[in-house]
Amino acid sequence: MITISTLAKRSGLSRTALLYYDRLGLLKPFRRNRSGYRLYSSSEANRLEQICLYRKMGIPLREMKKLLDVPGNNVLVEILQRRLHVLDHEISDLRKQQRSIWALLKQKPLQQGEQMIGKERWIEIMHAAGFKDQDMHNWHIQFERMEPEAHQEFLESLCIPKDEVTKIREWSRERGA
Amino acid sequence: MITISTLAKRSGLSRTALLYYDRLGLLKPFRRNRSGYRLYSSSEANRLEQICLYRKMGIPLREMKKLLDVPGNNVLVEILQRRLHVLDHEISDLRKQQRSIWALLKQKPLQQGEQMIGKERWIEIMHAAGFKDQDMHNWHIQFERMEPEAHQEFLESLCIPKDEVTKIREWSRERGA
DNA sequence: TTGCTCCTCACGTCACGTGAGGTGGC
DNA sequence: TTGCTCCTCACGTCACGTGAGGTGGC
């Protein structure tokens, strides 16, 4: 039987987080002592481990309750897949934000500390590694054929503007056909 | 002179967002008519365009106030660079979340709808495009030499475990020396 | 007694969204 | 008069953090 701050330290969460979980009904203490202190057993510690796991995945606390109380496997997979999609969108939103900032900073005096890798730099690396233009063309064609979505994502990650990405992909599909 | 909903529609924001900006003092209407309606002039419309621009970059509203009221160029660049760093961290946090979920889904029955590209799939694409193992080795060496941080990021994006990433990078540095 | 841990409200965060209840404009 | 836009509170969101004010344990 351990108290709330001990459990907090062991789990790496804050005491207030555990208080909050109690209020939500997500993690109730095993019992209280006579002066009202929360006491947790190893069973709660295990439950908290699961909670931490889901927390790392960004699962909302209300979803966790469902997962922990009804250990339906289908529900878990479904929730995780939904979360993957949300993450995809969030990441691409943040990338868009980065690109907006880069676009604005480029007009300003050249930034120096910020290294980021764009199309030109990528091509340099490929050349330095001995790849010819023809190799890169083939590579686009195969990438588009095998993983079109990932191809799009990759091109966007190099800060290539949207219309150029579209062109490259269309070009790849024509050649690949 | 236009009313709040008209401005909202033109800017693509919600009416409540504009109400909120007024309360914050970020975007005050030019004046009110006799019945209290907010009236905005083209000057406010321009200011709002700037706001939308910063909004796209994820700049917090209180920061925008500073930027719009004191148009110090240094302040802008500084804020944008801070934001770039925060974005870097947020993106890598979200990637970590994705990896946690992938790790867990892999143990479960094979997911089907979720296509994501890992190391093996990447190697397949490279092979399909006619790249030999030796080409890929050279590529790692050059990538590590020219953009070590980006190399790390790229390997992580393929869901390669941390220790293997370290090994690959060490290997690349040895060969590159 | 001192210092530590614990307790319970209650309010703040960030950028709005959502009613409720009421008034002016055409 | 009807329907539309506008107004101002006030409360909700999400996962806690931060005091305030008070009590128990060693």
Side-chain angles (χ1 to χ4, degrees):
Chain A
M1 285 297 179
I2 56 177
T3 61
I4 192 167
S5 290
T6 312
L7 185 59
K9 267 170 208 157
R10 284 193 195 164
S11 64
L13 296 178
S14 68
R15 194 184 76 101
T16 43
L18 297 185
L19 286 173
Y20 182 61
Y21 295 169
D22 186 3
R23 275 224 305 284
L24 281 190
L26 178 62
L27 187 75
K28 290 274 178 204
F30 182 69
R31 64 179 183 90
R32 306 278 190 124
N33 73 7
R34 57 212 134 117
S35 45
Y37 285 28
R38 287 167 180 81
L39 295 175
Y40 297 88
S41 77
S42 62
S43 158
E44 280 77 41
N46 289 337
R47 192 177 163 94
L48 185 55
E49 268 188 61
Q50 280 294 306
I51 291 173
C52 288
L53 221 143
Y54 291 140
R55 212 180 84 112
K56 274 187 195 157
M57 303 178 189
I59 308 291
L61 301 180
R62 329 262 159 179
E63 303 264 19
M64 288 187 201
K65 259 187 90 167
K66 290 183 220 162
L67 287 179
L68 290 165
D69 296 344
V70 185
N73 209 313
N74 298 346
V75 191
L76 174 62
V77 172
E78 198 191 316
I79 286 181
L80 292 182
Q81 292 193 342
R82 255 216 315 277
R83 178 70 188 147
L84 272 181
H85 275 117
V86 173
L87 281 171
D88 270 350
H89 282 135
E90 286 179 355
I91 288 178
S92 90
D93 278 356
L94 295 184
R95 284 223 191 96
K96 275 177 205 157
Q97 289 191 13
Q98 282 193 318
R99 262 173 269 143
S100 303
I101 295 179
W102 281 324
L104 207 143
L105 281 178
K106 255 179 220 155
Q107 304 171 346
K108 308 273 161 188
L110 278 170
Q111 71 278 27
Q112 168 230 21
E114 289 309 320
Q115 82 275 48
M116 70 80 42
I117 179 163
K119 175 185 158 195
E120 284 75 15
R121 190 71 178 138
W122 182 262
I123 290 176
E124 263 185 70
I125 292 171
M126 297 295 269
H127 280 154
F131 295 111
K132 308 289 174 207
D133 286 350
Q134 186 56 48
D135 299 326
M136 268 123 84
H137 291 164
N138 282 333
W139 176 85
H140 278 299
I141 293 166
Q142 295 307 324
F143 205 170
E144 180 65 27
R145 178 185 287 164
M146 298 170 80
E147 297 285 353
E149 308 265 348
H151 192 196
Q152 168 97 23
E153 269 235 46
F154 174 77
L155 293 171
E156 283 183 6
S157 82
L158 298 180
C159 293
I160 296 174
K162 229 176 184 174
D163 48 347
E164 197 183 334
V165 168
T166 310
K167 271 188 210 161
I168 295 175
R169 294 190 57 199
E170 279 171 2
W171 181 93
S172 307
R173 275 200 295 277
E174 284 167 24
R175 300 303 174 101
Chain B
M1 285 301 179
I2 54 177
T3 61
I4 193 167
S5 288
T6 312
L7 185 59
K9 266 169 208 158
R10 283 192 196 165
S11 63
L13 296 178
S14 68
R15 194 184 77 103
T16 44
L18 297 185
L19 286 173
Y20 182 60
Y21 295 169
D22 185 5
R23 275 223 305 285
L24 281 189
L26 177 62
L27 186 76
K28 290 275 181 205
F30 181 69
R31 64 178 183 88
R32 304 278 190 128
N33 72 6
R34 56 209 135 118
S35 45
Y37 284 29
R38 290 168 179 80
L39 295 177
Y40 298 88
S41 76
S42 62
S43 159
E44 281 76 43
N46 290 336
R47 192 178 163 91
L48 186 55
E49 268 187 60
Q50 280 293 308
I51 291 174
C52 288
L53 221 143
Y54 292 140
R55 212 179 85 112
K56 275 187 195 160
M57 305 177 185
I59 308 292
L61 300 180
R62 329 264 159 175
E63 304 263 19
M64 287 187 201
K65 258 187 91 166
K66 291 184 219 160
L67 287 179
L68 289 166
D69 295 345
V70 185
N73 210 313
N74 298 346
V75 191
L76 173 63
V77 172
E78 198 191 314
I79 287 182
L80 291 184
Q81 292 193 341
R82 255 216 316 278
R83 179 70 188 147
L84 272 182
H85 276 117
V86 172
L87 281 172
D88 269 350
H89 283 136
E90 287 179 355
I91 289 176
S92 90
D93 277 358
L94 294 184
R95 283 223 190 95
K96 273 179 207 155
Q97 289 192 14
Q98 282 193 319
R99 261 173 269 141
S100 303
I101 294 179
W102 282 326
L104 207 143
L105 281 179
K106 256 177 220 156
Q107 303 170 348
K108 306 275 162 186
L110 279 169
Q111 71 276 29
Q112 167 230 21
E114 289 311 317
Q115 80 276 46
M116 69 81 40
I117 179 161
K119 178 185 155 195
E120 284 74 15
R121 190 70 177 139
W122 183 264
I123 292 176
E124 262 184 70
I125 293 171
M126 297 296 268
H127 279 155
F131 295 113
K132 308 287 174 208
D133 286 349
Q134 187 56 48
D135 299 325
M136 268 124 85
H137 292 162
N138 283 334
W139 176 82
H140 278 298
I141 293 166
Q142 296 306 325
F143 203 171
E144 180 65 26
R145 177 185 285 163
M146 299 171 80
E147 298 285 352
E149 307 266 348
H151 192 196
Q152 168 98 22
E153 269 235 47
F154 173 76
L155 294 172
E156 283 183 6
S157 82
L158 298 181
C159 293
I160 296 173
K162 231 175 184 173
D163 48 346
E164 197 183 335
V165 169
T166 310
K167 271 187 210 161
I168 294 175
R169 294 191 54 202
E170 280 169 2
W171 181 93
S172 307
R173 276 197 296 277
E174 283 166 25
R175 301 304 175 100

